[in-house]
Amino acid sequence: MRRFLSALTVVLLLSACGKTENGLVDDKVYFFFSNTCPHCHHALEYINAKYPNLEMAMVNVGNPEGLDLLVKAAQKFKLGNNVGTPLIVFGDKYLMGWTSDYEDEFDEYARPYAEAGQ
């Protein structure tokens, strides 16, 4: 019974802070990047110009912790081995890769997070 109550407490605490079992917080934007990825740089130029106050967790996949979180994000969205950068996660939505064609979809996904930060 004690073990059950301990597990229940952990689940309730994680739920209270919005963190899921995959390590991602639902009400946070994650930007997974690689230092050598030109698409990441283009995406950041767009985001910083249009949403200078958007809070994003910057996750460098070149670091072991960043790579681990990327794997968890890939599992969450059932991406298998087809994972690339940038990967931008908005709760239960994501964008992977970047071209100017992604700007409208990014705007749609980012709008609630940008408005919440105002």
Side-chain angles (χ1 to χ4, degrees):
M1 182 67 158
R2 178 178 281 165
R3 185 176 290 162
F4 171 77
L5 290 175
S6 294
L8 180 61
T9 301
V10 169
V11 169
L12 290 173
L13 287 173
L14 290 175
S15 298
C17 68
K19 199 170 204 175
T20 61
E21 71 278 353
N22 58 25
L24 300 170
V25 178
D26 286 336
D27 61 349
K28 188 180 222 178
V29 177
Y30 292 86
F31 188 94
F32 293 89
F33 70 95
S34 169
N35 289 331
T36 59
C37 170
H39 304 291
C40 295
H41 295 285
H42 294 298
L44 278 176
E45 287 173 11
Y46 174 81
I47 295 166
N48 289 334
K50 188 154 185 183
Y51 300 95
N53 297 320
L54 179 65
E55 292 185 28
M56 293 189 301
M58 300 299 293
V59 183
N60 186 342
V61 301
N63 298 329
E65 299 84 13
L67 183 58
D68 182 55
L69 196 56
L70 176 69
V71 169
K72 290 176 180 175
Q75 290 169 342
K76 175 180 180 175
F77 295 108
K78 298 176 179 35
L79 300 175
N81 294 328
N82 298 321
V83 182
T85 56
L87 176 65
I88 310 166
V89 174
F90 312 81
D92 64 348
K93 297 175 178 70
Y94 73 93
L95 288 173
M96 186 167 48
W98 189 264
T99 69
S100 59
D101 294 338
Y102 285 30
E103 292 174 3
D104 289 340
E105 193 170 6
F106 180 89
D107 293 342
E108 176 187 337
Y109 294 165
R111 192 169 297 115
Y113 295 92
E115 290 170 356
Q118 292 180 351

